[in-house]
Amino acid sequence: MSRDYKNTTSRNKKPERTVAPAWLMLTTGLVVGLFIAALAWLATQPAGAPEHAVKVTPKPSPPPPKETPKPQPKPRPTPTAEAKKAPEKPKFEFYTILSEMETVVPPQELSAEVKEGVPQVKAPGTYMLQAGSFRTNEQADQLKAKIAFLGLSAEIQKVTTSGNETWHRVRLGPFSDLAVLNEARAKLKQQHIDALLLKVAQTKK
C-alpha cells in the first residue's frame, strides 16, 4: 500500500512565527519607559500646583471716578400759619416803653420853621427828650457823660419791659420853656444825637 507523502509532509511542517520589526519594538520600549519615568516624577511632587507654575493675580480695575455732588440750594423754610399770624415784636432799642402820660410827637406836628437843624416846637406844653435806650448801664452812662459836655443835664432811668427785658434810657427834662427845649434839641442834633420828643400829658386837678 502506497503512502501519501505529500500530505504527511504538509501536516508535519510547523507554522512560521511572525517577528515584529526591530524599530517598532525600540519605539514601544522608549514610550513605555518615558511613561513610567513620568509617573515616578509625579509621585515625588507635593500636592497642589507645580513649582514652576506662577500664579498671575489680575490687577483690579481702577474704580470709576466719583462724581462730586453739586451743592443743592437749601430750601427756604415756609412760614407756618402761626408765624404769619404772630405780630412783630416791638423794637425797644430806642423807644422803649413809655409812660401812660407820655406820647411821641410826630415830625408832622412840629413847626415848619427850622433853626440850627431842628424843626421848632411851637405848641405849648411839657416835654421830655429821650436821647437813647441801652441794654447796659455802662452804655447809658457814656451817653450821659457826652451830653454833660454840651452843658445839658440828663438822667438814666431803668425800666423793665413786659418780656422781662431791662433797659437803661437816657432822658432830659421836663421842659416847659419851648426856647430852652429847642436849644437842647439843637445841641443834641449837632452831636448826631437824634433825641425822641415826648409830650407829657397834663394831669387834671
Side-chain angles (χ1 to χ4, degrees):
M1 185 175 180
S2 62
R3 294 182 179 180
D4 189 356
Y5 291 100
K6 183 178 180 179
N7 293 334
T8 301
T9 305
S10 63
R11 282 196 298 267
N12 294 331
K13 188 178 181 179
K14 294 181 180 181
E16 296 180 359
R17 294 182 178 179
T18 304
V19 180
W23 64 268
L24 180 61
M25 295 179 64
L26 180 63
T27 304
T28 303
L30 181 62
V31 171
V32 172
L34 291 175
F35 179 73
I36 294 173
L39 291 177
W41 181 81
L42 290 175
T44 59
Q45 297 298 315
E51 293 181 0
H52 65 273
V54 179
K55 292 185 179 180
V56 178
T57 304
K59 294 183 179 180
S61 57
K66 295 183 179 180
E67 295 183 0
T68 305
K70 296 181 180 179
Q72 298 294 331
K74 294 183 179 180
R76 295 182 179 179
T78 55
T80 59
E82 295 181 357
K84 292 181 180 179
K85 294 181 181 180
E88 294 183 359
K89 293 183 179 181
K91 296 180 180 180
F92 294 101
E93 286 83 355
F94 189 77
Y95 288 90
T96 357
I97 56 173
L98 301 177
S99 171
E100 295 180 357
M101 303 297 294
E102 300 170 349
T103 56
V104 180
V105 180
Q108 58 268 22
E109 291 188 8
L110 299 178
S111 172
E113 182 183 358
V114 178
K115 286 185 178 180
E116 298 181 1
V118 293
Q120 298 297 290
V121 180
K122 295 291 185 178
T126 302
Y127 295 89
M128 296 284 297
L129 292 176
Q130 182 168 305
S133 184
F134 305 93
R135 290 278 191 177
T136 63
N137 185 74
E138 289 77 8
Q139 292 174 310
D141 193 61
Q142 289 177 3
L143 180 58
K144 179 181 177 182
K146 184 177 181 180
I147 293 174
F149 280 108
L150 303 177
L152 301 174
S153 177
E155 295 182 356
I156 299 176
Q157 295 180 352
K158 183 179 179 181
V159 295
T160 304
T161 66
S162 58
N164 293 327
E165 294 181 340
T166 302
W167 293 87
H168 303 81
R169 54 191 187 184
V170 182
R171 288 192 158 196
L172 295 83
F175 298 94
S176 297
D177 189 334
L178 298 183
V180 177
L181 171 64
N182 289 323
E183 183 181 357
R185 293 174 60 236
K187 289 183 178 181
L188 294 175
K189 184 69 175 180
Q190 291 175 358
Q191 298 299 319
H192 306 287
I193 301 174
D194 294 322
L196 184 66
L197 180 62
L198 306 172
K199 188 172 185 179
V200 182
Q202 297 293 331
T203 58
K204 296 182 180 180
K205 294 182 180 181

